[in-house]
Every structure is written in structure tokens, then in C-alpha cells.
Amino acid sequence: AQKITQTQPGMFVQEKEAVTLDCTYDTSDQSYGLFWYKQPSSGEMIFLIYQGSYDEQNATEGRYSLNFQKARKSANLVISASQLGDSAMYFCAMRDTYGNNRLAFGKGNQVVVIP
Amino acid sequence: KAGVTQTPRYLIKTRGQQVTLSCSPISGHRSVSWYQQTPGQGLQFLFEYFSETQRNKGNFPGRFSGRQFSNSRSEMNVSTLELGDSALYLCASRPTSSYEQYFGPGTRLTVT
């Protein structure tokens, strides 16, 4: 069974600073994918970034980057230059292997950006 | 391109009733997945449909069912509602060409 762990307590981040959200995962599969989603208080899950297990480069999407350390089974999200609109819950998720699109989610990290 | 849409956005039902939720995927997306989000259990996978066929099912009782139509729109049905079914139900669609899943705004179901 796959497992995603997000253990950081709620975080307060100063506007314009960078923040790193931790995510570790457990899988015995060789082929898998890792996602980060943002969920503001409105409830919608917003896709941020995706990293495939065979991707050699760390994924980046604008202010979001994924620090992928395969040997440590770690997929941390880095948000650079935080903005007030970044205040939300952030979820790490993993895709099952070989065409199975089921996502297993972590419990999430709460981030509050303060001016 | 329009995003994933879900209707209704909010729903209040009584224990024992049944409910049907609807999801329209992004145009061209043929895969639709459903998730349940509760404060206690977090986000849990319900099922996935692709080309009108259920490809995966999560660990939920048979009261939870779904289907997909030829235009890729999907519905999920919960029969004999229980208080514990109160949750945010999220639908996600995925293009064939990538693994990224895009979620709709969700349907917030309250069972009283």
C-alpha cells in the first residue's frame, strides 16, 4: 500500500519569503508520480506541479518547484516569493503505477502568508 | 477552455435518502475520478471512469456507485445516506496525454 506523509504543523510565512513543504512517500513501485495541490478555503483543489519517478530534472512551474530526492523518498514543494494568495492547504499526492490514475493524498499542510 | 464543473455545489439531504452528483470534465478529457474529503479521513479515492468503463474503485461500500456517459460526463450516486457521508465530493478529469488531474470545485453534501 502506498503512503504519503506530511507532518509539518500549520505554518506562518512572511510575504515575499520562500517556504518549503515536506512530503515523504512510501512505495515499492519503480514507476510512480508525485503531485502537489493547493486547496484554498473555497474547497477547489488546484493542480500545482507534477514529478514522474523517472524524470531526471526537478519539476518547476513558475514560483513552484519540487525538490525530488528519490533515494530518500522525498518530494518537497518549494514556493518562492510567497504571496497573500498562497494561504491555503497544500496536499502532496502519489499516483499508482502503470496507468492507474488513483491518487493517494497526504493529510496536508496549512500555510498562512502574513504581510 | 472551461474547467471541470460539478453540480450541485451544495446539497442537504436526510439520512436514508439517496443523492446524485454530476461532473462535467474538461473538454477532451476522457478520464474522470471521484474523491471524498472529510476532516477525519482526508481525501479518499472513490472510483475512476474512462470511456464509460469503471477502471478503479476505492474501498467504499456498494452504496456508492457511479457511471460515465458517452460525452465523458460522470455521475456518482450514494444510496441510503448516512451521517458519515457528509463530505466534500471532488471530481477530477485527466487528459489522455498526461498524468495531471484537474479538479472541480466540489459538491459539499450535508446529511442530517
Side-chain angles (χ1 to χ4, degrees):
Chain A
Q2 297 171 321
K3 184 178 177 182
I4 301 289
T5 302
Q6 295 177 259
T7 55
Q8 287 167 301
M11 304 173 69
F12 289 91
V13 181
Q14 202 73 39
E15 195 177 6
K16 299 180 184 176
E17 290 189 348
V19 58
T20 298
L21 305 180
D22 297 338
C23 172
T24 58
Y25 58 91
D26 184 24
T27 182
S28 56
D29 297 319
Q30 297 301 309
S31 175
Y32 52 89
L34 295 153
F35 301 75
W36 277 93
Y37 284 90
K38 169 185 176 182
Q39 188 176 43
S41 57
S42 60
E44 183 172 359
M45 296 286 284
I46 302 168
F47 168 78
L48 295 178
I49 199 165
Y50 171 78
Q51 177 87 40
S53 59
Y54 291 119
D55 294 340
E56 294 185 355
Q57 302 284 337
N58 283 344
T60 60
E61 291 283 353
R63 295 186 298 110
Y64 305 104
S65 60
L66 198 152
N67 184 1
F68 182 46
Q69 298 187 43
K70 195 170 181 177
R72 296 181 59 189
K73 294 188 175 179
S74 156
N76 298 341
L77 176 72
V78 180
I79 306 173
S80 63
S82 297
Q83 302 172 355
L84 296 178
D86 294 335
S87 296
M89 281 289 287
Y90 289 82
F91 291 91
C92 179
M94 181 162 61
R95 172 183 61 82
D96 281 353
T97 59
Y98 304 114
N100 187 334
N101 296 306
R102 174 171 51 193
L103 296 183
F105 284 86
K107 295 295 186 185
N109 295 109
Q110 179 73 54
V111 173
V112 176
V113 180
I114 53 178
Chain B
K1 191 180 270 191
V4 178
T5 59
Q6 292 187 246
T7 56
R9 292 292 312 277
Y10 302 91
L11 206 50
I12 299 175
K13 288 287 188 179
T14 303
R15 195 168 43 181
Q17 289 185 316
Q18 76 165 14
V19 67
T20 299
L21 311 182
S22 180
C23 170
S24 292
I26 293 171
S27 177
H29 291 192
R30 292 161 61 190
S31 168
V32 174
S33 298
W34 288 88
Y35 294 83
Q36 181 197 63
Q37 186 177 25
T38 60
Q41 298 299 317
L43 280 145
Q44 294 184 283
F45 171 81
L46 280 157
F47 24 66
E48 182 204 0
Y49 287 87
F50 181 85
S51 292
E52 302 179 67
T53 301
Q54 186 181 89
R55 291 211 296 193
N56 276 299
K57 191 176 192 304
N59 189 25
F60 279 82
R63 300 185 297 107
F64 292 81
S65 63
R67 59 178 175 168
Q68 187 180 33
F69 302 94
S70 59
N71 62 357
S72 295
R73 189 177 70 85
S74 177
E75 289 181 348
M76 68 162 281
N77 184 276
V78 187
S79 62
T80 318
L81 283 165
E82 300 177 359
L83 296 178
D85 297 334
S86 294
L88 179 66
Y89 290 88
L90 292 159
C91 162
S93 74
R94 185 186 75 85
T96 308
S97 57
S98 78
Y99 292 114
E100 298 162 11
Q101 294 192 32
Y102 297 92
F103 283 79
T107 293
R108 192 166 294 278
L109 172 66
T110 302
V111 181
T112 61

